[in-house]
Amino acid sequence: MADRGCPLEAVPLPAEVREGLAELELELSEDVHTEAVQAALARYKERKVPMPSRRRSALTHSSVETYTPPDTSSASEDEGSFRRPTRLTSTPLQSPSNTEPWLHRAARGSSTSSSASSTSSHPGGRATAALAGPTAHAHVADVPSAPPDVTTGLLELSGRERPQLASVRGVARGCSGSVLETAGGVPVSSRVSSKIQQLLNTLKRPKRPPLKEFFVDDLEELLEVQQPDPNQPKPEGSQMVVLKGEPLAVGVPWPPSLLAVLQRWGTTQPKAPCLTALDTAGKAVYTLTYGKLWSRSLKLAYTLLNKLTSKNEPLLKPGDRVALVFPNSDPVMFMVAFYGCLLAELVPVPIEVPLTRKDAGSQQVGFLLGSCGVTLALTTDACQKGLPKAQTGEVATFKGWPPLSWLVIDGKHLTKPPKDWQPQTQDARAGTAYIEYKTSKEGSTVGVTVTHACLLAHCQALTQACGYSEAETLTNVLDFKRDAGLWHGVLTSVLNRMHVVSIPYALMKVNPLSWIQKVCSYKARAALVKSRDMHWSLLAQRGQRDVSLSSLRMLIVADGANPWSISSCDAFLNVFQSRGLRPEVICPCASSPEALTVAIRRPPELGGPPPRKAVLSMNGLSFGVIRVDTEEKLSVLTVQDVGQALPGADVCVVKVEGTPYLCKTDEVGEICVSSSATGTAYYGLLGITKSVFETIPVTAGGVPVSDRPFTRTGLLGFIGPDNLVFVVGKLDGLMVVGIRRHNADDIVATALAVEPMKFVYRGRIAVFSVTVLHDDRIILVAEQRPDASEEDSFQWMSRVLQAIDSIHQVGVYCLALVPANTLPKAPLGGIHISETKQRFLEGLLHPCNVLMCPHTCVTNLPRPRQKQPEVGPASMIVGNLVAGKRIAQASGRELAHLEDSDQARKFLFLPDVLQWRAHTTPDHPLFLLLNAKGTVVSTATCVQLHKRAERVAAALTEKARLNTGDHVALVYPPGVDLIAAFYGCLYCGCVPVTVRPPHPQNLATTLPTVKMIVEVSKSACVLTTQAIMRLLKSKDAAAAVDVRTWPTILDTDDIPKKKVTSVFRPPSPDVLAYLDFSVSTTGILAGVKMSHAATSALCRSIKLQCELYPSRQIAICLDPYCGLGFALWCLCSVYSGHQSVLVPPLELESNVSLWLSAVSQYKARVTFCSYSVMEMCTKGLGAQTGILRTKGVNLSCVRTCMVVAEERPRIALTQSFSKLFKDLGLPARAVSTTFGCRVNVAICLQPNRLGKLAEQGTAGPDPTTVYVDMRALRHDRVRLVERGSPHSLPLTESGKILPGVKVIIAHTETKGPLGDSHLGEIWVSSPHNATGYYTVYGEEALHADHFSARLSFGDTQTVWARTGYLGFLRRTELTDASGERHDALYVVGALDETLELRGMRYHPIDIETSVVRAHRSIAECAVFTWTNLLVVVVELDGLEQDALDLVALVTNVVLEEHHLVVGVVVLVDPGVIPINSRGEKQRMHLRDGFLADQLDPIYVAYNM
């Protein structure tokens, strides 16, 4: 046997060879392809791409240089080297006269390296290509001019806490801000700006050709649809004719069934070897003879049919399905089990051994077993011991699996049948023989049923096609449970009494040459392998001179249809031809689970034509047309034939979609087979069975080509010359991008040609597509080697993108790199694609690097909105009248009807009111202040407040020597001191300015704001407490601001008890009462002037709207420094006389339930809070409602709980708050919203009246919620839709308009009035409008007309104030107490915050809501734009290593729901997005922090 010196035992491989193998699993790249990739990349040498940045702390191995990549455009020429395995061309087409014109000279591109010039195909000879890194830095000079404003001084955000009103954009005149600026005035203080610049530069490159036409989708949204390119290749050949395979041999006496053959061999040739099993050392462990196979199968069949259940009923009956669970190392037991089932007339369902309870795809296999009704699984003793066990010691139930009984079929467990027992073997029954599982593209697992007749016909066809003869030896490397491994190695082998040597996968991993050694030692005539096995053996063959393959007459390559099989075949022949391998021995074949073997190449002695090759244009293929590439040899696909159709089969090619019309001869379609040897159905799935197994191909005229049905194979290809079948891809790997088709395997091959050895771990790359915005988007996921650096990975990613772009003319949407060995594995070690796709979509892939390229891929966005020449305001009104739309205006109740004018006159000045109350009801309590424990720390009755105010007034006039009209800054913590100081200022005629005190732990951020307000308001004195006074003058303060420039600072803790001679009375109601300073969400500091008249009008309106009387108690949990919060703390109680329970929001940080407990304890009917307070309660008390109930908290007293805000009502938050605290008695409709802004702090307040109360007094209707079309809003239109309809956005009204307030909706640019159906700016007119800005820091000119705007048409007399908020009015069906229809005001968002993108207006909150919904780890999100790029900042509430999953999810959701391409995704820690005291996001601060590189992001992804 060993006469040629072939050792029988496996020779252990040298260590370095084994290392090489471990490195490389699939480095398959043909020379044409590698050259193509090199050439493609050479073109892109100068392209510069911004590299993503990662938090430095997370990277130990690379230095800061990684983050600011040097300019590598002058890198050395040999920087990137490519491997080019050479290969032999097998018989190029000689262009005979009958050859189709499109295949003419097909080999022209494929013979670039002939066998003569090649010494070895081992990747040793390297061709070098200059590949300069595409990650060079952009120069500052390239920044485009006039970008949106960014501040010139940037204040550090400290720590991890959310900066409360962190800082003000723009630096006070005392501060100096030095930042490098470009000519355009853009501060380039950081790598962020230059990265964005690189990104912009990459976006300037021309895109794919612009698309012309539009289609209207079902959502009435105009999306661009790709129109066919007039120049695209079209098929020109004639219609193909059905290809008929040779007839099955007639004279041969075929047996009646496979079991009859088994019985014959088992009884007449019992000693003949049937199957040899090897261990991982390559030793033959066991040889199963035909006699043993027969006797054991009989035993098993008898046992299965006669084994009883506990109820003494047979366990199984003929036709039942049985699962076969056998490891790949035990072919003997599998074969016995398989034939045992057939003999017992049971249907075997072979599946993989489940290793863990969460195997990739295991759930779908469970679904298949359940749908097949499997209750019994056969396995071996060793395998059963290795399965995961439950506590009871039984085999665990796997996720999604039906309950199974496990039967071990080792000999001792079987019963010997009696002598007279004989199974039925004599004819091929009509029933199902076995079920082979198949996993579809989507990951679902189906079972293909194969009948006994088909099984026999398939074995006969393979015997004839392969020329198998009795007692031949076959070496099988494939999985024997399914596909070609089962068909050749278990079924056809028995038909011909062949001897199969089964090589386990584990042995191949240790010794890739084992199969060649076995061919040599067993003198095998045939071998069954995959490209990978040939490739592995190439790497291991050095030093193994004594192997010979001369015995082989057929080397069947089972995956001959793959794009890389040709290079493996060529390279293998190139090396092993010198060891006796004949070229004609290599026989690629094509198969599919549905049609079984589709085609196989015949050796010439069996009459097969010579093999052929086609070099096809990739561009042609993408349009489904076959063109031989002549001009450029770059984007080509070289394919080999997979031989001829099987004997007895008819083959045709039909169109992939729609009616199965026959293709033309030069057109790619799906190959269909009609024969008695194909699968017959998907088990239990009648619908798809009909479309796949019972297709009737028709001619162009609609005539059926045959009366027999055809089976679709799922293979894409065409019929070439000599009736050879060519396969160019699989339907499962087909990705249709736009109107072009791409094959996943081709893209994998291109990616592998980009320096695979250097970078990709074992060649593990997965390519699949996901649907985003009505089109397939290509995703490429690769495992990177553990030692790859950040720079390497980014270089590789950039090159892969460029290579795919150049060769396939398609953009990759997302390229992700994951750590080695982390992608889900298929049973034999490949990548489980559908599971990988599922993980990608669910955000569970955990990549370590991500590159998204939506800008180049997404070409079907809606057309940007063109600004039409503005319609004039007059035409607008006429248009609305014609359309029957009313002009959007509304007003609260008239003040004149509501109050006696004398009383109103008496209360014109608040100091008078306080004195009057101190005189008439001196001991009536006005204020109660609570601390975190809920205890009252200070109170004030009318007389106490009056006396404290007098003391302050005396101190101001005597100590501080202030004059009437001087401004005084009040820097107090929330409390009664602040209120007393406020009235003290009014008593002496000074103008108070309330200022939030600085945070002692965060002086650097908060103190500059205090200093700025004091300076900008021109305060002559600062009133405060002793503790804060010490803080303002401390060393720490000196580090943040210049403490020498503070005005006089007085502390009011110990001022003497003095009376003022007389309380100041303003000469006119229009005299300034106080200044209200605040920082807007866009970071603009502004102070508004409130006159005495406006102040008392405000109090009067609130009193009437909320029905506030001295007997009422209200609870306030708001900050008292500006807006409505200030008015409720300091003004309303004094005016209306009700008692206010004051709960400082800061105290909730140490006791979340403080506010609700106070409401319950004091039985407050009315309470006010902010969104941040509501959020704290919802998050902090979610699980504690039971505990609160036991503590006696009861909220049934509440009539109204009003959320004070200057934004769109947050419906989700208010609803969850209502739902959560319903258990504590909170009435369902108690929660309502308010709306106020800088120009008017209270425009709407919503008093809800419930139950009987609704019949008394001013019953307000319930707040109404409407659903508007979000896409119409982008065009400033309001279109109401039904709840739940696509793109619907719920909006709730912002409250009932206050008495005396008039509101109109005006066009933001023409200032004309708008109709109900338009979104416009809310303008307000009311006696309590502020009288103007005292100052707007840095933006005075912009705001000149905010307080004195007039309509350009219609009522041009009324003076309005512009709120700066967009909204609309809608007349509801509800009526108020007076019988008037109720007008609801809906606030949509601040005009300053809106994003103008693609000519449309977006509200950040809408994009943020979508993003937060995208994944459970997203805690918060904020968006802003920078140089027309959309930047999304996401707070990650999870592990840092999972952060990169979010990049693709965020990009997808914004694209799907808003049709916007995200430019930059920034992943940060929780708490980084700054939020002010009102709970509003400070997006502009965030933007400044990002551009100044102060956010310390976890990862910044620049979407190219």
Side-chain angles (χ1 to χ4, degrees):
M1 190 140 186
D3 58 3
R4 289 188 53 112
C6 298
L8 229 115
E9 297 310 327
V11 179
L13 285 174
E16 69 275 10
V17 175
R18 287 175 64 170
E19 277 167 28
L21 287 167
E23 277 308 323
L24 198 105
E25 206 156 295
L26 244 188
E27 191 255 349
L28 304 170
S29 46
E30 44 191 295
D31 47 5
V32 176
H33 212 91
T34 311
E35 282 174 17
V37 171
Q38 284 182 13
L41 290 174
R43 298 177 184 172
Y44 282 88
K45 216 189 302 183
E46 298 303 313
R47 176 76 30 81
K48 295 175 181 150
V49 169
M51 181 166 160
S53 51
R54 190 188 293 273
R55 174 175 292 158
R56 293 163 184 129
S57 59
L59 280 170
T60 46
H61 60 262
S62 53
S63 64
V64 178
E65 273 67 55
T66 319
Y67 301 98
T68 41
D71 192 326
T72 52
S73 50
S74 57
S76 60
E77 284 298 290
D78 59 356
E79 182 171 326
S81 56
F82 281 93
R83 183 152 301 97
R84 47 189 288 194
T86 50
R87 61 143 201 246
L88 231 132
T89 46
S90 37
T91 336
L93 301 176
Q94 295 311 310
S95 159
S97 51
N98 65 343
T99 308
E100 297 284 349
W102 46 264
L103 264 171
H104 188 59
R105 298 292 300 136
R108 188 178 292 166
S110 68
S111 55
T112 44
S113 57
S114 67
S115 53
S117 66
S118 79
T119 49
S120 132
S121 83
H122 193 271
R126 298 183 165 212
T128 58
L131 273 178
T135 58
H137 233 16
H139 295 289
V140 165
D142 297 336
V143 181
S145 58
D149 154 60
V150 300
T151 55
T152 45
L154 297 151
L155 303 150
E156 288 273 345
L157 296 177
S158 78
R160 280 280 157 267
E161 57 177 280
R162 284 189 189 278
Q164 292 273 327
L165 199 65
S167 58
V168 179
R169 300 182 62 234
V171 181
R173 289 164 183 115
C175 310
S176 66
S178 65
V179 146
L180 165 68
E181 288 204 352
T182 60
V186 187
V188 189
S189 60
S190 65
R191 54 199 174 90
V192 175
S193 314
S194 50
K195 288 261 171 76
I196 291 182
Q197 192 46 50
Q198 289 180 35
L199 179 51
L200 288 172
N201 292 344
T202 65
L203 297 184
K204 281 181 192 160
R205 58 186 272 209
K207 280 199 188 175
R208 315 227 162 283
L211 304 162
K212 311 287 184 297
E213 298 302 318
F214 293 91
F215 72 88
V216 179
D217 73 358
D218 53 341
L219 309 172
E220 298 178 40
E221 175 69 65
L222 290 176
L223 280 171
E224 300 224 31
V225 62
Q226 269 193 318
Q227 290 304 308
D229 174 2
N231 303 321
Q232 77 181 45
K234 293 185 179 59
E236 293 155 9
S238 55
Q239 182 176 298
M240 72 160 299
V241 288
V242 175
L243 167 67
K244 295 198 177 297
E246 65 195 81
L248 267 173
V250 184
V252 183
W254 294 112
S257 76
L258 193 59
L259 294 176
V261 180
L262 174 61
Q263 185 176 14
R264 176 176 148 210
W265 299 137
T267 48
T268 63
Q269 302 270 355
K271 294 276 194 299
C274 168
L275 177 69
T276 298
L278 307 173
D279 63 11
T280 47
K283 288 201 176 74
V285 225
Y286 186 83
T287 296
L288 179 72
T289 60
Y290 278 94
K292 279 281 187 223
L293 175 60
W294 171 245
S295 62
R296 284 199 196 174
S297 305
L298 269 185
K299 257 193 199 175
L300 176 60
Y302 181 76
T303 308
L304 288 174
L305 291 178
N306 294 282
K307 196 175 169 63
L308 299 178
T309 61
S310 52
K311 296 178 185 164
N312 275 347
E313 293 164 359
L315 183 62
L316 297 163
K317 52 187 188 302
D320 282 355
R321 273 77 49 207
V322 178
L324 267 50
V325 184
F326 292 89
N328 287 315
S329 54
D330 201 341
V332 172
M333 293 306 266
F334 173 80
M335 201 157 177
V336 169
F338 194 89
Y339 281 105
C341 286
L342 294 187
L343 283 169
E345 299 184 40
L346 300 170
V347 178
V349 185
I351 58 168
E352 306 303 331
V353 178
L355 300 175
T356 64
R357 299 190 65 171
K358 287 191 184 141
D359 276 4
S362 160
Q363 207 170 338
Q364 281 76 20
V365 172
F367 177 74
L368 170 70
L369 296 180
S371 61
C372 288
V374 172
T375 54
L376 179 71
L378 306 185
T379 187
T380 64
D381 198 31
C383 181
Q384 201 255 6
K385 285 185 177 134
L387 291 171
K389 301 290 189 297
Q391 304 276 309
T392 56
E394 297 287 305
V395 176
T397 306
F398 298 99
K399 192 178 171 191
W401 284 38
L404 294 179
S405 313
W406 292 80
L407 176 64
V408 172
I409 64 155
D410 298 45
K412 56 178 182 284
H413 300 278
L414 303 182
T415 318
K416 196 168 182 184
K419 288 269 192 297
D420 56 350
W421 187 79
Q422 275 299 324
Q424 160 78 19
T425 60
Q426 283 318 305
D427 59 339
R429 294 183 294 276
T432 302
Y434 70 95
I435 294 176
E436 184 171 322
Y437 80 86
K438 171 212 170 170
T439 304
S440 74
K441 186 180 183 177
E442 284 69 43
S444 57
T445 300
V446 293
V448 176
T449 61
V450 179
T451 62
H452 287 274
C454 295
L455 181 150
L456 182 63
H458 189 217
C459 291
Q460 292 166 350
L462 285 179
T463 302
Q464 184 171 329
C466 302
Y468 285 137
S469 57
E470 217 171 292
E472 271 192 314
T473 304
L474 165 76
T475 312
N476 178 21
V477 188
L478 305 190
D479 179 5
F480 48 77
K481 296 193 289 297
R482 55 195 297 251
D483 211 74
L486 173 68
W487 308 331
H488 290 263
V490 174
L491 304 176
T492 310
S493 58
V494 169
L495 186 66
N496 297 290
R497 194 171 65 81
M498 291 163 65
H499 177 198
V500 177
V501 181
S502 189
I503 315 270
Y505 178 65
L507 171 58
M508 281 296 289
K509 278 169 87 168
V510 181
N511 175 11
L513 272 183
S514 52
W515 72 271
I516 296 181
Q517 292 163 349
K518 295 302 162 206
V519 166
C520 179
S521 55
Y522 283 97
K523 296 277 185 296
R525 304 273 287 136
L528 185 58
V529 296
K530 281 194 165 179
S531 316
R532 177 183 61 190
D533 309 319
M534 300 162 76
H535 192 79
W536 280 7
S537 52
L538 281 180
L539 295 171
Q541 52 83 25
R542 282 185 299 183
Q544 299 276 327
R545 295 282 166 234
D546 47 359
V547 290
S548 159
L549 294 177
S550 57
S551 65
L552 276 185
R553 61 174 191 80
M554 255 194 123
L555 174 59
I556 301 167
V557 185
D559 60 347
N562 269 343
W564 47 68
S565 66
I566 182 169
S567 58
S568 288
C569 294
D570 288 354
F572 188 78
L573 177 63
N574 199 10
V575 169
F576 285 97
Q577 198 164 7
S578 58
R579 321 251 177 110
L581 180 70
R582 304 190 303 283
E584 64 274 13
V585 165
I586 296 178
C587 296
C589 77
S591 62
S592 87
E594 291 82 3
L596 311 186
T597 308
V598 175
I600 185 162
R601 194 186 284 172
R602 315 278 202 285
E605 67 265 23
L606 294 177
R612 298 196 180 253
K613 240 172 229 195
V615 181
L616 306 175
S617 150
M618 206 78 93
N619 182 50
L621 285 177
S622 72
F623 290 107
V625 178
I626 299 147
R627 290 286 177 271
V628 170
D629 193 83
T630 46
E631 300 86 48
E632 87 176 303
K633 301 205 173 71
L634 284 190
S635 49
V636 293
L637 178 69
T638 307
V639 287
Q640 61 185 353
D641 70 277
V642 288
Q644 293 166 300
L646 278 197
D650 294 352
V651 175
C652 68
V653 180
V654 301
K655 296 206 184 291
V656 177
E657 282 153 4
T659 313
Y661 287 112
L662 286 180
C663 288
K664 295 186 173 167
T665 48
D666 59 344
E667 190 175 3
V668 173
E670 185 175 4
I671 298 171
C672 295
V673 175
S674 173
S675 111
S676 54
T678 62
T680 47
Y682 290 128
Y683 187 87
L685 301 169
L686 301 175
I688 57 171
T689 291
K690 195 157 181 60
S691 60
V692 171
F693 292 91
E694 298 169 26
T695 296
I696 306 285
V698 293
T699 62
V703 183
V705 297
S706 160
D707 48 0
R708 282 170 40 187
F710 279 70
T711 298
R712 287 176 173 268
T713 62
L715 299 175
L716 301 173
F718 58 92
I719 309 293
D722 290 341
N723 291 341
L724 290 173
V725 178
F726 285 84
V727 176
V728 295
K730 295 190 184 71
L731 208 53
D732 273 358
L734 186 68
M735 302 177 291
V736 183
V737 180
I739 51 174
R740 295 177 56 202
R741 306 194 292 206
H742 303 275
N743 217 288
D745 285 343
D746 298 342
I747 289 178
V748 170
T750 298
L752 279 172
V754 181
E755 294 188 32
M757 269 300 280
K758 186 173 168 190
F759 190 77
V760 180
Y761 178 71
R762 296 192 162 190
R764 290 172 60 80
I765 295 180
V767 170
F768 52 89
S769 65
V770 297
T771 304
V772 181
L773 200 65
H774 310 299
D775 206 351
D776 274 5
R777 313 286 174 202
I778 295 177
I779 316 292
L780 190 150
V781 185
E783 288 186 4
Q784 68 175 34
R785 284 180 30 173
D787 54 353
S789 73
E790 191 89 354
E791 187 81 27
D792 285 347
S793 51
F794 196 70
Q795 290 268 347
W796 185 82
M797 289 160 94
S798 320
R799 290 172 182 173
V800 166
L801 291 176
Q802 292 159 2
I804 292 172
D805 183 85
S806 185
I807 290 172
H808 302 272
Q809 282 101 47
V810 68
V812 173
Y813 177 70
C814 174
L815 203 161
L817 298 176
V818 296
N821 268 327
T822 54
L823 286 179
K825 289 192 168 69
L828 284 180
I831 297 172
H832 198 292
I833 301 283
S834 57
E835 187 80 9
T836 304
K837 175 174 174 174
Q838 201 52 40
R839 287 191 192 176
F840 173 80
L841 291 172
E842 288 171 5
L844 297 172
L845 200 57
H846 309 329
C848 48
N849 259 311
V850 159
L851 197 53
M852 301 279 300
C853 310
H855 291 281
T856 44
C857 297
V858 181
T859 50
N860 64 332
L861 283 172
R863 181 180 288 173
R865 177 184 174 200
Q866 302 298 320
K867 280 275 164 81
Q868 300 303 326
E870 279 303 346
V871 180
S875 325
M876 194 74 95
I877 286 195
V878 173
N880 278 314
L881 290 172
V882 171
K885 301 257 177 16
R886 65 186 201 105
I887 295 302
Q889 56 188 42
S891 53
R893 293 171 293 159
E894 290 290 331
L895 276 172
H897 302 321
L898 296 172
E899 253 189 359
D900 173 13
S901 51
D902 287 347
Q903 194 186 7
R905 238 176 258 122
K906 185 166 69 184
F907 285 164
L908 204 51
F909 300 113
L910 274 177
D912 300 352
V913 182
L914 180 54
Q915 288 173 82
W916 176 74
R917 288 202 186 282
H919 182 65
T920 53
T921 53
D923 298 325
H924 176 66
L926 285 179
F927 298 104
L928 286 177
L929 178 72
L930 303 184
N931 68 1
K933 291 182 181 140
T935 48
V936 177
V937 281
S938 73
T939 59
T941 61
C942 298
V943 72
Q944 285 170 337
L945 184 64
H946 169 64
K947 286 184 171 164
R948 288 171 75 169
E950 284 197 317
R951 273 188 245 162
V952 172
L956 285 172
T957 46
E958 292 167 22
K959 269 194 176 176
R961 307 229 178 279
L962 294 189
N963 302 316
T964 304
D966 280 348
H967 297 181
V968 179
L970 312 181
V971 187
Y972 286 92
V976 180
D977 286 348
L978 173 69
I979 302 167
F982 175 79
Y983 285 100
C985 291
L986 296 189
Y987 274 17
C988 66
C990 292
V991 178
V993 184
T994 48
V995 184
R996 177 192 304 279
H999 196 295
Q1001 272 82 55
N1002 199 359
L1003 278 182
T1005 317
T1006 54
L1007 189 61
T1009 310
V1010 176
K1011 186 83 162 71
M1012 191 184 285
I1013 295 176
V1014 170
E1015 287 181 1
V1016 169
S1017 64
K1018 302 191 175 72
S1019 295
C1021 170
V1022 175
L1023 283 186
T1024 184
T1025 62
Q1026 275 179 0
I1028 293 176
M1029 179 161 134
R1030 281 198 294 274
L1031 187 64
L1032 294 181
K1033 296 182 169 178
S1034 65
K1035 272 188 190 163
D1036 293 343
V1041 298
D1042 183 357
V1043 293
R1044 295 165 303 178
T1045 56
W1046 286 117
T1048 315
I1049 302 181
L1050 277 187
D1051 81 81
T1052 54
D1053 290 358
D1054 305 318
I1055 43 176
K1057 294 186 178 179
K1058 280 194 175 178
K1059 280 193 172 184
V1060 279
T1061 44
S1062 66
V1063 170
F1064 171 77
R1065 192 178 167 83
S1068 107
D1070 298 328
V1071 168
L1072 188 58
Y1074 68 94
L1075 289 179
D1076 185 346
F1077 266 88
S1078 72
V1079 180
S1080 75
T1081 50
T1082 50
I1084 294 166
L1085 172 70
V1088 295
K1089 298 185 285 198
M1090 284 295 282
S1091 67
H1092 282 278
T1095 304
S1096 52
L1098 171 66
C1099 294
R1100 188 160 78 246
S1101 283
I1102 292 174
K1103 175 189 169 181
L1104 293 167
Q1105 188 83 325
C1106 300
E1107 297 169 348
L1108 301 175
Y1109 312 112
S1111 58
R1112 280 279 162 87
Q1113 268 190 323
I1114 72 169
I1116 301 170
C1117 190
L1118 291 168
D1119 277 320
Y1121 300 108
C1122 61
L1124 190 53
F1126 166 77
L1128 291 165
W1129 266 68
C1130 296
L1131 309 177
C1132 293
S1133 273
V1134 170
Y1135 186 90
S1136 308
H1138 59 270
Q1139 184 184 359
S1140 294
V1141 180
L1142 306 175
V1143 183
L1146 212 60
E1147 304 288 1
L1148 265 67
E1149 287 181 11
S1150 44
N1151 176 8
V1152 190
S1153 61
L1154 173 65
W1155 167 51
L1156 295 178
S1157 306
V1159 169
S1160 166
Q1161 184 187 340
Y1162 293 97
K1163 300 209 169 10
R1165 288 166 57 100
V1166 177
T1167 179
F1168 293 90
C1169 69
S1170 65
Y1171 280 124
S1172 41
V1173 166
M1174 195 169 260
E1175 195 161 22
M1176 278 169 84
C1177 291
T1178 312
K1179 285 183 178 166
L1181 299 173
Q1184 297 179 29
T1185 46
I1187 302 166
L1188 291 176
R1189 201 184 301 114
T1190 54
K1191 287 186 182 169
V1193 175
N1194 180 356
L1195 302 178
S1196 56
C1197 55
V1198 178
R1199 286 291 164 268
T1200 8
C1201 166
M1202 284 179 257
V1203 194
V1204 173
E1206 298 190 8
E1207 58 177 301
R1208 177 199 300 180
R1210 301 188 197 173
I1211 297 185
L1213 180 57
T1214 52
Q1215 282 176 350
S1216 54
F1217 179 84
S1218 301
K1219 203 178 286 180
L1220 194 57
F1221 297 109
K1222 187 175 72 185
D1223 297 351
L1224 298 179
L1226 181 72
R1229 295 184 296 202
V1231 179
S1232 63
T1233 50
T1234 68
F1235 174 59
C1237 60
R1238 298 284 62 226
V1239 299
N1240 185 323
V1241 297
I1243 296 170
C1244 299
L1245 284 176
Q1246 175 82 51
N1248 277 322
R1249 294 288 162 265
L1250 305 171
K1252 289 186 177 166
L1253 283 157
E1255 290 150 28
Q1256 312 150 10
T1258 57
D1262 291 323
T1264 49
T1265 298
V1266 294
Y1267 292 84
V1268 298
D1269 186 334
M1270 207 187 300
R1271 294 157 315 165
L1273 272 188
R1274 294 172 200 154
H1275 297 265
D1276 293 342
R1277 291 272 189 291
V1278 178
R1279 195 169 97 212
L1280 298 187
V1281 291
E1282 291 302 312
R1283 176 181 180 172
S1285 58
H1287 302 280
S1288 62
L1289 172 72
L1291 293 173
T1292 190
E1293 67 168 305
S1294 289
K1296 194 178 179 206
I1297 296 169
L1298 261 69
V1301 174
K1302 286 202 294 189
V1303 168
I1304 192 162
I1305 305 296
H1307 194 287
T1308 49
E1309 285 160 18
T1310 65
K1311 298 184 187 171
L1314 290 173
D1316 265 352
S1317 59
H1318 280 70
L1319 184 69
E1321 188 179 9
I1322 301 166
W1323 286 15
V1324 59
S1325 164
S1326 111
H1328 63 258
N1329 274 9
T1331 47
Y1333 283 120
Y1334 175 72
T1335 175
V1336 179
Y1337 181 68
E1339 306 218 8
E1340 287 86 344
L1342 278 175
H1343 299 277
D1345 68 339
H1346 272 199
F1347 291 88
S1348 54
R1350 292 174 195 264
L1351 289 173
S1352 56
F1353 190 81
D1355 168 13
T1356 54
Q1357 296 311 303
T1358 310
V1359 175
W1360 301 87
R1362 298 177 61 173
T1363 62
Y1365 282 81
L1366 293 171
F1368 61 94
L1369 279 163
R1370 184 172 160 268
R1371 176 151 281 183
T1372 63
E1373 296 306 313
L1374 302 167
T1375 53
D1376 53 27
S1378 60
E1380 289 287 307
R1381 293 267 297 278
H1382 168 64
D1383 288 315
L1385 174 66
Y1386 295 89
V1387 176
V1388 176
L1391 188 56
D1392 285 352
E1393 296 251 285
T1394 56
L1395 313 173
E1396 287 271 340
L1397 291 164
R1398 301 177 56 80
M1400 287 172 277
R1401 198 194 298 280
Y1402 288 85
H1403 296 271
I1405 184 69
D1406 296 328
I1407 300 173
E1408 289 158 1
T1409 306
S1410 297
V1411 170
V1412 170
R1413 277 204 318 261
H1415 195 271
R1416 61 177 181 279
S1417 309
I1418 300 177
E1420 189 51 274
C1421 160
V1423 303
F1424 51 84
T1425 52
W1426 170 242
T1427 51
N1428 284 335
L1429 288 177
L1430 180 63
V1431 181
V1432 179
V1433 180
V1434 169
E1435 286 185 359
L1436 170 74
D1437 180 16
L1439 301 171
E1440 260 188 39
Q1441 59 262 37
D1442 304 349
L1444 272 72
D1445 282 315
L1446 304 181
V1447 176
L1449 295 182
V1450 166
T1451 308
N1452 290 359
V1453 77
V1454 175
L1455 201 54
E1456 281 280 4
E1457 296 186 14
H1458 303 279
H1459 302 167
L1460 290 176
V1461 175
V1462 176
V1464 184
V1465 180
V1466 187
L1467 301 165
V1468 295
D1469 295 305
V1472 167
I1473 295 172
I1475 285 186
N1476 68 13
S1477 59
R1478 297 188 295 274
E1480 298 160 341
K1481 293 173 196 166
Q1482 304 287 82
R1483 297 181 182 89
M1484 293 305 124
H1485 280 312
L1486 183 67
R1487 184 175 92 168
D1488 298 345
F1490 170 64
L1491 293 171
D1493 210 8
Q1494 293 167 345
L1495 299 186
D1496 185 27
I1498 298 166
Y1499 192 85
V1500 182
Y1502 298 93
N1503 286 351
M1504 291 163 35

